[in-house]
Amino acid sequence: MAEDPKVMTGKLEDKDIDRPEYTDDEMMYRNFVVKRLQEAKNKRDQSWPEFNDMTYQQYWITNNLAAHSYIRPKMNQADTRVVTGTTEEKVNTILAAALNNNFGPNILAYDKDNLPLAETGKVMENLIKKSREIEEPDYEEFRIGAYEEFFNQGTVFIEERFLELRIPQKRLNNLDWSDVGDIKNIEWTTKYTTKKQCQAVVIPGVNVYLGSMRELYMSRQPYVSTREIMTRRQAQAMYGRWERWKNVPLGKEALFDTDDMSKPYNDYSKEDLQGGISVEDQQVEVIRYQDKWNNEFMIFLNGVMMFPIRFPLSALLGVAEYTIAKADAYPISAHFAYSKSVPAKTKVEQAVFDEMMRLMVLKTQQSFQPPTANNTGRILSRDVLFPGKMTENIDPNKLRPLVEARGVSSSEFNSLAFMKSIIDGKSVNPVMEGQSQSGEQTAREIIELKQQSMQKLGLPILGIVNLEKRLAWLRLYNIIQNWTSPVDKKPAKLGGGIIDVYRNITVDTDLEDGSKGQMIIQMGKGQFPKPDQI
C-alpha cells in the first residue's frame, strides 16, 4: 500500500477523512456493543466497599502511589516531604523472590487413547520457548513489568496477541553517504516488510473493563473489553492495510472519556485525544471487545468498527476463549473481580508511618530552632539563632523560646517501631529483605522466620503459577493457529506446480543425555492438531 502523502507531510485533517457507511444492522450492533462498554465502565467506576468505598480508578492509583513511594507536596511551610518507602521495598523483595523462580511450562501431551506423547509435549514446550525468545521485549524482560503490576495492584491482565506490523525498510542508493557533498544527492529506496510475531501485552487495570464486577474468574466473564491509546503512526503500522483505516477520524471521537485523575495512567501522552498539528501528535483510541459466549470480537479505532458485525473471536487463537489471562494475588472474594496487593493492605499503615516520620523530623527541627518570642523591639531574622552567629546590642532575656526544646522521645521511637511491625506483619519479614534482627538469634530461628515469610507468599506465588499456565495455553493456541500456516510459496521440483512453504524453527534444548543441543522443528500441513483438539 502506497503511503498517503498527506500522512507523510503531516497535513492530514479531519475533513479529509470520510465517515464509514454503516448498514442498519451494523448501526444496531454498534449501539449494542457501545452500550455494553459504557455499562461496564459505569459499574467499575462507582464506589465499592471492597475498595474501601473508592472507585476502582482511585483504588488503582492509590496502590500505584504507595508502591512507588510517591512524595506528596508540602501541606504547609513547616511540612517536610518525607516518605520512608517501606511498602516499595517490601514489593521489591517479593518481586525479586518471584523473578528468581522459573515458571516455564512443562507440557505433557496425550493421544486420543490417553497414551503419553513425550516428543509432542517437548516440541510444544520448545515452540513456546522460541516464541518468547523472539518477541519484543523477550519474555524474561517482559515478566518484570508483568509481575510488578501483579504485586502492586493484586490483579494483572495480560493479553495474548499475534501482531502483524508493516514497517518501512529504507536502503540508501549511495551507500557511501558520508562523502556526499550535496545533501540533495542522498537518496534511498523504501520498501515495506511485514513483521509477524506472537506478543504478550500487559494491560493496565484502568484500561480493562469487565462485564461483571462480581465474577472473579476471567473465563466466566460475560464479556470484556480493553482500551489502549497509541500514536497514529503506531496504529497505521498495525491497521493501515485494513479497509476502514481510511475512515478512522483524528483523535476526537473517543468512546471513553477519562477524568483528569486517570489520564496519566491510561492516555498515551497525558493529553486529551485532540491531537496536534502533525500526524505524529495525533492519537488513536483502540477498543478491543470480546464476548466468548457469542464468539464475537470487535476492534474500534476512534469509534470506527474495523470488522464485520459478529466477527468470530475464535479467528484470533482458534478457540472461542478470551485472549486475556488474569492473575490474582490476594483474592477478596469468589464473588468480586479484583484482588488486594501488598500496597493495598499496607497503604494506610504506610501513610501513618510516614506521617509519624514527618512529625519526628518537625520535632527535631523544633528542638534545634524552637519558636522564639522577640521582645527586643527590633526586627530580627531567624539567622540570629544559627550556631556561631554574632548579633550586637540584643538583650538575650528579651529573646526567649516559646516552648521547651525537646527532641524525639523514646516512646515516639517505640510508636514508630510498632507501626513498622504492623507493616512487616502484613507483608514480609525483614529477614527476607536482608535486614538483621535486634537481639541475639540462632540460625534456626532465622530459617524459621524465612520459612514463615515464604508461607505468606503462598497465595501470590500460586497466582503467578496460574497466570503462567494460562499464558502458556494462550501462547500454544496462538502458535498452532498462526505458525502452522504457510509463510510463502515456491515451485515444486520436476514441474510439480506451486507448493506451500512452512516455517522451520530452531531452538536450543536439553538432550536426553543431559547435554545441550538444538532441536529443528519443521512445520507442515496436517502435522499439528487443531486448537479445540488439544
Side-chain angles (χ1 to χ4, degrees):
M1 183 186 72
E3 191 78 25
D4 187 343
K6 294 177 180 177
V7 175
M8 292 294 291
T9 57
K11 296 180 180 179
L12 186 66
E13 297 180 9
D14 215 26
K15 64 182 181 181
D16 299 322
I17 299 175
D18 297 327
R19 297 299 186 227
E21 296 182 1
Y22 295 131
T23 64
D24 291 342
D25 286 343
E26 286 179 318
M27 283 302 302
M28 290 179 61
Y29 183 78
R30 184 181 186 278
N31 293 338
F32 167 74
V33 173
V34 171
K35 182 180 179 181
R36 271 191 147 191
L37 299 178
Q38 198 61 49
E39 286 176 351
K41 180 179 184 298
N42 292 339
K43 283 186 293 186
R44 198 199 68 178
D45 290 348
Q46 70 186 44
S47 61
W48 293 87
E50 289 84 355
F51 296 146
N52 299 324
D53 294 325
M54 291 186 288
T55 67
Y56 177 69
Q57 287 187 352
Q58 293 170 331
Y59 178 79
W60 192 94
I61 291 173
T62 53
N63 289 345
N64 196 64
L65 297 179
H68 295 95
S69 300
Y70 171 72
I71 302 178
R72 62 165 177 78
K74 284 188 175 184
M75 305 298 292
N76 52 60
Q77 186 177 2
D79 196 9
T80 304
R81 300 187 68 189
V82 174
V83 171
T84 57
T86 304
T87 299
E88 182 177 14
E89 290 307 312
K90 299 291 185 184
V91 173
N92 288 341
T93 299
I94 301 173
L95 176 62
L99 290 173
N100 284 333
N101 290 276
N102 179 13
F103 297 105
N106 182 18
I107 298 178
L108 301 177
Y110 298 87
D111 63 12
K112 62 181 180 179
D113 298 320
N114 203 29
L115 298 176
L117 300 173
E119 187 67 23
T120 302
K122 190 66 175 178
V123 167
M124 295 298 182
E125 282 184 31
N126 284 316
L127 285 174
I128 292 177
K129 177 183 177 182
K130 185 64 175 183
S131 69
R132 289 178 168 178
E133 288 175 354
I134 63 178
E135 69 178 303
E136 298 175 358
D138 65 42
Y139 194 71
E140 286 303 311
E141 184 179 355
F142 163 81
R143 71 188 190 121
I144 296 175
Y147 290 1
E148 183 182 31
E149 173 85 2
F150 174 75
F151 287 117
N152 287 347
Q153 299 298 332
T155 304
V156 65
F157 300 91
I158 301 177
E159 184 172 8
E160 177 70 21
R161 299 177 182 174
F162 187 74
L163 298 182
E164 296 189 22
L165 304 177
R166 191 166 181 269
I167 301 174
Q169 302 293 331
K170 300 180 180 181
R171 181 178 179 83
L172 289 176
N173 296 336
N174 185 353
L175 296 180
D176 191 13
W177 57 270
S178 59
D179 250 351
V180 177
D182 191 346
I183 193 173
K184 296 179 180 179
N185 294 331
I186 302 179
E187 297 179 350
W188 59 85
T189 302
T190 302
K191 292 184 178 180
Y192 285 86
T193 59
T194 301
K195 184 176 182 180
K196 300 180 180 181
Q197 67 180 29
C198 300
Q199 185 75 59
V201 181
V202 177
I203 309 294
V206 289
N207 282 346
V208 178
Y209 300 87
L210 302 176
S212 172
M213 289 290 290
R214 290 301 182 187
E215 181 52 64
L216 175 65
Y217 305 105
M218 174 63 73
S219 61
R220 297 179 183 175
Q221 285 290 335
Y223 60 93
V224 63
S225 63
T226 61
R227 178 179 188 265
E228 184 178 4
I229 303 299
M230 61 179 65
T231 65
R232 198 171 183 90
R233 285 290 191 185
Q234 273 183 293
Q236 185 178 13
M238 298 173 65
Y239 309 107
R241 290 185 293 172
W242 294 17
E243 179 185 358
R244 283 182 174 168
W245 170 254
K246 63 181 183 295
N247 303 123
V248 176
L250 303 187
K252 296 182 180 179
E253 299 186 8
L255 292 181
F256 289 166
D257 293 327
T258 57
D259 55 31
D260 291 338
M261 181 181 65
S262 64
K263 281 179 183 176
Y265 299 98
N266 60 10
D267 274 3
Y268 181 85
S269 59
K270 302 183 183 179
E271 301 293 339
D272 293 331
L273 294 181
Q274 299 300 318
I277 298 176
S278 67
V279 173
E280 281 74 11
D281 294 329
Q282 300 293 343
Q283 299 172 1
V284 175
E285 179 195 56
V286 182
I287 302 293
R288 299 166 66 90
Y289 164 79
Q290 303 181 35
D291 178 357
K292 65 174 285 186
W293 307 106
N294 291 310
N295 196 2
E296 294 178 1
F297 177 72
M298 181 59 69
I299 292 180
F300 293 87
L301 299 184
N302 283 351
V304 175
M305 293 193 303
M306 304 302 290
F307 289 121
I309 61 175
R310 301 180 183 88
F311 183 82
L313 174 63
S314 55
L316 302 182
L317 301 181
V319 290
E321 294 288 343
Y322 294 127
T323 62
I324 300 173
K326 172 176 173 285
D328 296 281
Y330 300 96
I332 297 174
S333 167
H335 303 291
F336 195 71
Y338 295 90
S339 302
K340 284 186 176 291
S341 62
V342 170
K345 295 195 301 178
T346 63
K347 58 188 174 186
V348 175
E349 290 80 0
Q350 176 72 66
V352 175
F353 188 73
D354 292 341
E355 182 64 23
M356 292 178 65
M357 181 66 73
R358 283 189 284 268
L359 293 175
M360 291 175 67
V361 171
L362 183 62
K363 190 171 183 181
T364 303
Q365 292 174 339
Q366 186 186 63
S367 67
F368 283 102
Q369 286 189 319
T372 305
N374 178 15
N375 296 317
T376 63
R378 298 170 55 185
I379 298 176
L380 303 175
S381 74
R382 61 185 299 176
D383 295 351
V384 300
L385 302 177
F386 287 171
K389 176 70 175 179
M390 302 293 293
T391 306
E392 299 178 354
N393 301 323
I394 288 183
D395 185 354
N397 294 322
K398 295 183 178 182
L399 196 66
R400 307 287 295 180
L402 295 175
V403 296
E404 182 179 356
R406 293 180 179 178
V408 180
S409 65
S410 58
S411 61
E412 290 166 338
F413 274 115
N414 292 336
S415 298
L416 200 67
F418 174 69
M419 291 305 303
K420 177 68 164 52
S421 67
I422 294 178
I423 298 175
D424 293 340
K426 288 189 174 184
S427 52
V428 294
N429 194 283
V431 172
M432 288 194 64
E433 301 178 77
Q435 300 180 20
S436 60
Q437 299 294 291
S438 59
E440 295 183 0
Q441 288 182 320
T442 65
R444 182 61 186 173
E445 288 175 329
I446 295 176
I447 293 174
E448 288 288 343
L449 286 173
K450 287 186 176 181
Q451 290 178 344
Q452 292 172 7
S453 294
M454 288 303 296
Q455 288 179 353
K456 288 185 178 181
L457 298 182
L459 273 178
I461 293 300
L462 179 60
I464 289 180
V465 170
N466 291 331
L467 171 68
E468 293 286 355
K469 182 168 66 174
R470 182 58 183 164
L471 288 176
W473 273 111
L474 293 176
R475 177 57 56 88
L476 192 56
Y477 290 144
N478 200 351
I479 289 172
I480 293 176
Q481 176 72 2
N482 296 291
W483 276 21
T484 57
S485 301
V487 295
D488 202 354
K489 293 182 180 294
K490 69 177 183 180
K493 295 180 179 179
L494 303 177
I498 303 298
I499 61 174
D500 293 326
V501 178
Y502 292 86
R503 294 173 184 262
N504 285 339
I505 307 297
T506 302
V507 58
D508 296 331
T509 187
D510 296 325
L511 302 179
E512 294 182 358
D513 60 359
S515 61
K516 297 291 184 180
Q518 289 186 325
M519 175 183 286
I520 300 177
I521 304 171
Q522 296 180 340
M523 303 292 186
K525 187 175 182 180
Q527 288 188 352
F528 285 90
K530 296 179 180 179
D532 56 359
Q533 294 176 328
I534 299 177

